[in-house]
Amino acid sequence: MAKPAGTPPPDPEFVQLLNPEGKRVEHPDYTIDFTDDEYRSLYHDLVVVRRLDAEATALQRQGELGIWASLLGQEAAQVGSGRALRPQDMAFPTYREHGVLYCRGIDPIMPLGLFRGVDQGGWDPIGMKFAMYTIVIGAQTLHATGYAMGIAMDGKVGTEDGEAVVAYFGDGASSQGDVNEAFVWASVFHAPVVFFCQNNQYAISEPLERQTRVPLFQRANGFGFPGVRVDGNDVLASYAVTRAALDQARAGQGPTLIEAYTYRMGAHTTSDDPTRYRGNDEVELWRTRDPIARLRAHLVREGLADDEYFAGIDAEADALAAEVRAACLALPDPHPLSMFDHAYSEPHAQVTAERAELAAYLEGFEDEEAAR
Ligand SMILES: Cc1ncc(C[n+]2csc(CCOP(=O)(O)OP(=O)(O)O)c2C)c(N)n1
Ligand SMILES: [Mg+2]
């Protein structure tokens, strides 16, 4: 398909605190003061979430998951923003936020149950302050905005230890009506929500140029709240920008749109073949901006870690991946009738009738196992 006519947008300007060579860069508005241990633990989380993601992709390829949406390339955007959340903050993810899920302290087996089709996700969204994965593109931005309006009404905003909300979505989702409606509501009600857009350059096969003629973060201006673009492959900048936006929201200063400029290194999901719609050149260009390599280079440059340390992290990640694999294979198949269990909180005539119909059908099989 022909590209739209006109001048392409200029090269992105973004907040960066760590360049692709692993060198610290100063920024007038954003700073960080991590301890040596915190730098190392950021690296740990990046490596672990990438390793778990690779294991999930392998499990899908071996027929153990129905589908998997990989986060490969987006680790820094997710770990940086995920670690910027305070315990009381609420997050609303898409289907790709495995790195944020990990930062929330949720057992990494949880999303595998969903993608294996044996449960609905499994974690307690309220207890863990992490809503269920949302496949309906952009819908969670409305959920997040409503939730944010709710906590403001409950008086949980405007104090030092107030609460804030983050809504994750993609570049493609920015074209959805839901997202634009969420922007309007968040703006006029001054809702304490941070809209965190991972611009990974694609919505399945549709490139960014099919979503917008202006940089995505500038959309916020038209809705009346600030927008900022961050280098999404820089975990330090992703952390600093998200932390600042969340703190503004919790202090009662309303929403912010963050565009984390990044790249989806793998396929959209395991059902997709990206070689059909993008060239290898751009993938290789983005490989040079790898989020893990640059933090590793920084740790080496600053003398914070050596080969032995890196080997230890790799071994730990491998062991965790093996554990998650074993746990995935051991997930019990649900009984078919359990699908009706939580459709409504109260008994419901239609659900009761449908349940009875399926039960009768299943009883028609001699071997109950065979009915599954
Ligand atoms: C309302 C709705 N429309 C269409 C789809 C099909 N769909 C699934 S993922 C996707 C692309 C989303 O792209 P983006 O928002 O950039 O997120 P990414 O997958 O790149 O993280 C589409 C169109 C859907 N799930 N929901
Ligand atoms: Mg995208």
Side-chain angles (χ1 to χ4, degrees), residues 170-172 198-204:
D171 46 293
Q198 284 169 88
N199 173 4
N200 64 6
Q201 314 298 328
Y202 287 92
I204 314 183

Side-chain angles (χ1 to χ4, degrees), residues 230-315:
V230 63
D231 180 349
N233 284 16
D234 171 355
V235 70
L236 306 184
S238 295
Y239 175 93
V241 168
T242 312
R243 187 82 168 185
L246 285 166
D247 284 347
Q248 280 170 12
R250 91 178 70 253
Q253 291 173 36
T256 301
L257 169 62
I258 298 173
E259 176 190 355
Y261 200 81
T262 182
Y263 192 76
R264 196 197 73 210
M265 292 298 288
H268 169 70
T269 66
T270 47
S271 305
D272 171 47
D273 173 7
T275 63
R276 303 271 304 257
Y277 55 83
R278 70 183 189 189
N280 211 33
D281 293 4
E282 65 175 70
V283 181
E284 288 312 314
L285 172 69
W286 278 91
R287 208 180 294 287
T288 65
R289 303 170 179 164
D290 183 76
I292 300 186
R294 78 173 70 179
L295 185 58
R296 184 180 173 124
H298 180 69
L299 294 180
V300 171
R301 182 191 290 267
E302 298 296 318
L304 298 178
D306 56 14
D307 285 350
E308 198 185 330
Y309 173 81
F310 294 129
I313 298 288
D314 287 346

Side-chain angles (χ1 to χ4, degrees), residues 171-246:
D171 46 293
S174 70
S175 300
Q176 285 286 127
D178 281 8
V179 174
N180 290 271
E181 289 160 22
F183 286 178
V184 171
W185 281 74
S187 172
V188 300
F189 285 97
H190 219 57
V193 56
V194 174
F195 295 107
F196 193 93
C197 177
Q198 284 169 88
N199 173 4
N200 64 6
Q201 314 298 328
Y202 287 92
I204 314 183
S205 56
E206 287 291 271
L208 181 67
E209 68 202 33
R210 290 283 161 207
Q211 311 295 344
T212 187
R213 296 292 297 152
V214 298
L216 284 177
F217 74 99
Q218 287 179 5
R219 290 258 179 98
N221 294 340
F223 291 91
F225 56 91
V228 54
R229 177 148 56 186
V230 63
D231 180 349
N233 284 16
D234 171 355
V235 70
L236 306 184
S238 295
Y239 175 93
V241 168
T242 312
R243 187 82 168 185
L246 285 166

Side-chain angles (χ1 to χ4, degrees), residues 46-57:
L46 293 173
V47 170
V48 165
V49 301
R50 178 173 291 186
R51 182 64 187 84
L52 291 174
D53 186 73
E55 196 65 29
T57 299

